[in-house]
Amino acid sequence: MLNKIIAESNIQKAKKFIDKYDKMVIVTHISPDGDAIGSSLALYHFLLELGKLVNVVVPNDFAGFLKWMPGVKDLIIGNKNETLTAETIESAELLFCLDFNTLSRIDQLAPFVSKSTAKKIMIDHHPYPDNFCNLTISHPEISSTSELIFRFICRMGMFESLNISCAECIYTGMMTDTGAFTYNSNSPAIYYIISELLNKGIDKDAIYSKVYNNYTSGRIRLQGYVFYEKMQIFKEYKTALITLTINEQNRFQYTKGDAEGFVNIPLSIENVVLSAFIREDENVIRISLRSKGQFPCNEFASSIFGGGGHLNAAGGEFYGKLEEAVALFEKSLPAYKEQLLLSGSKQKK
Ligand code: 5GP
Ligand code: MN
């Protein structure tokens, strides 16, 4: 049996909303990752199974290695279809906000969501959720929103309506937000849930392969370049840094998602506790941080780059030149020296 995490009162409130309304819209965060797409499509398949009218809106496009997922062709990509996006969100009676905790994370969708008169339910695992929903189901102790979707469905007593497409999406989100169960994945419940998903008929090995053995050749060449030519190690801070300009991305025919996961790789170096990836994007510099042990990436990301995230995985943005973002990063390290040196390789449970 699965331990109860979500409060019974929240389950009852959500159930009432789901019973009452028919037109439902699911939104998730900008540059959606495996958990954002996984949790959104999982809930989509579940609500379809209940006979609801459901749409999923994502702010922008996402990595090709997620495009095999069941239901992907039904997604509305916000910045590619602005009219449909506005109409869809406006028509919602019930809005689900998945895998994000603050409206700024949905970029240009934020004004539509905030002015919508629909009831709103947040299901998320990022700490410090903003108060913009009628019901906030927030569990930072759970490693993925997709796991929360599984728990949510079970607790409503609707396990029968969790079909194989829903199960595949849940598994994908759980897998990608834990680096294929290599971090934030010590909870026995995760493996209980996996066994239930296997009972639903998922092929977990095939899902792994579709996500992790499905890269472009450009990505692999880019990876070689980045780690051979670009990685810096700041030994005195147990920190690794990689950077990538637009020119370098173009050199390797960069497509969206080609650098996803790079930031995790330096953590496999002994004595590296913090890994940073600073990448030039179209109008912004993106910062990704990962850590081992207790080093708080989210604190660093929020105080230096106005971002946020989890203890061991966070991100932020910088408006300016890549070199300036790098200089700011380097300048900020000394203040964190003690925490970096204290942070061992012990994983938070
Ligand atoms: P990634 O490095 O994969 O882009 O993001 C890692 C984690 O940090 C994710 O959980 C994501 O939600 C969070 N994150 C990334 N960028 C930002 C940001 O700009 N603002 C906030 N609040 N969180 C972010
Ligand atoms: Mn997530």
Side-chain angles (χ1 to χ4, degrees), residues 13-249:
K13 206 168 164 188
K15 204 161 185 272
K16 271 194 196 130
F17 286 148
I18 291 174
D19 287 344
K20 183 167 174 190
Y21 298 113
D22 275 320
K23 290 186 193 158
M24 305 187 176
V25 173
I26 299 166
V27 292
T28 192
H29 63 76
I30 183 121
S31 299
D33 58 8
D35 188 34
I37 300 290
S39 57
S40 298
L41 286 177
L43 186 62
Y44 171 71
H45 290 296
F46 167 71
L47 294 172
L48 282 184
E49 193 72 36
L50 300 187
K52 303 292 179 181
L53 265 169
V54 204
N55 280 293
V56 184
V57 182
V58 300
N60 60 346
D61 204 4
F62 51 92
F65 57 80
L66 297 172
K67 293 200 171 158
W68 60 271
M69 291 175 71
V72 151
K73 64 176 188 338
D74 302 333
L75 293 173
I76 299 171
I77 315 273
N79 66 351
K80 286 191 183 166
N81 213 331
E82 289 173 9
T83 314
L84 181 62
T85 295
E87 286 169 0
T88 303
I89 299 179
E90 268 161 28
S91 72
E93 296 169 326
L94 184 59
L95 256 172
F96 287 91
C97 298
L98 299 190
D99 203 37
F100 68 95
N101 59 354
T102 178
L103 283 171
S104 62
R105 292 283 293 147
I106 54 171
D107 215 43
Q108 87 282 9
L109 303 186
F112 300 110
V113 170
S114 69
K115 75 168 188 249
S116 159
T117 54
K119 296 289 182 207
K120 294 165 198 157
I121 303 180
M122 180 199 294
I123 305 179
D124 180 46
H125 69 138
H126 294 91
Y128 319 118
D130 282 351
N131 188 18
F132 62 93
C133 289
N134 303 81
L135 173 59
T136 300
I137 299 179
S138 167
H139 290 274
E141 76 279 22
I142 298 298
S143 56
S144 63
T145 300
S146 298
E147 176 179 339
L148 283 172
I149 296 296
F150 181 93
R151 289 172 172 276
F152 180 67
I153 294 171
C154 289
R155 286 287 301 287
M156 289 195 296
M158 297 184 183
F159 189 64
E160 293 308 309
S161 302
L162 195 164
N163 60 27
I164 181 156
S165 296
C166 177
E168 286 176 339
C169 295
I170 289 174
Y171 184 78
T172 306
M174 291 176 67
M175 178 183 80
T176 51
D177 254 21
T178 57
F181 308 103
T182 60
Y183 50 78
N184 283 340
S185 53
N186 281 334
S187 156
I190 290 177
Y191 303 93
Y192 172 82
I193 294 172
I194 294 173
S195 74
E196 292 288 14
L197 297 175
L198 289 166
N199 285 331
K200 288 280 180 184
I202 68 159
D203 181 340
K204 67 181 265 306
D205 300 345
I207 291 175
Y208 177 95
S209 202
K210 284 186 222 181
V211 173
Y212 294 113
N213 299 335
N214 200 11
Y215 295 138
T216 62
S217 58
R219 175 193 163 105
I220 300 301
R221 292 185 202 282
L222 177 68
Q223 184 173 333
Y225 167 74
V226 163
F227 290 106
Y228 187 63
E229 302 258 348
K230 301 297 306 283
M231 186 171 65
Q232 283 174 270
I233 309 273
F234 303 93
K235 241 182 162 174
E236 69 278 32
Y237 300 117
K238 295 191 172 180
T239 292
L241 170 67
I242 49 177
T243 62
L244 202 52
T245 64
I246 297 239
N247 271 345
E248 290 167 325
Q249 293 167 48

Side-chain angles (χ1 to χ4, degrees), residues 29-31 33 35 99-102 104-105 124-127 177 260-261 263-264 277 285-290 297-298 301-302 305-310 312-318:
H29 63 76
I30 183 121
S31 299
D33 58 8
D35 188 34
D99 203 37
F100 68 95
N101 59 354
T102 178
S104 62
R105 292 283 293 147
D124 180 46
H125 69 138
H126 294 91
D177 254 21
E260 222 169 283
V263 66
N264 296 310
F277 181 24
I285 308 293
R286 294 275 330 149
I287 292 97
S288 276
L289 301 171
R290 297 292 185 272
C297 290
N298 45 6
S302 82
F305 293 108
H310 311 276
N312 296 124
E317 292 172 347
F318 179 84

Side-chain angles (χ1 to χ4, degrees), residues 331-342:
K331 198 179 90 184
S332 307
L333 285 175
Y336 289 86
K337 186 167 185 174
E338 201 174 326
Q339 276 170 288
L340 286 163
L341 296 186
L342 277 176

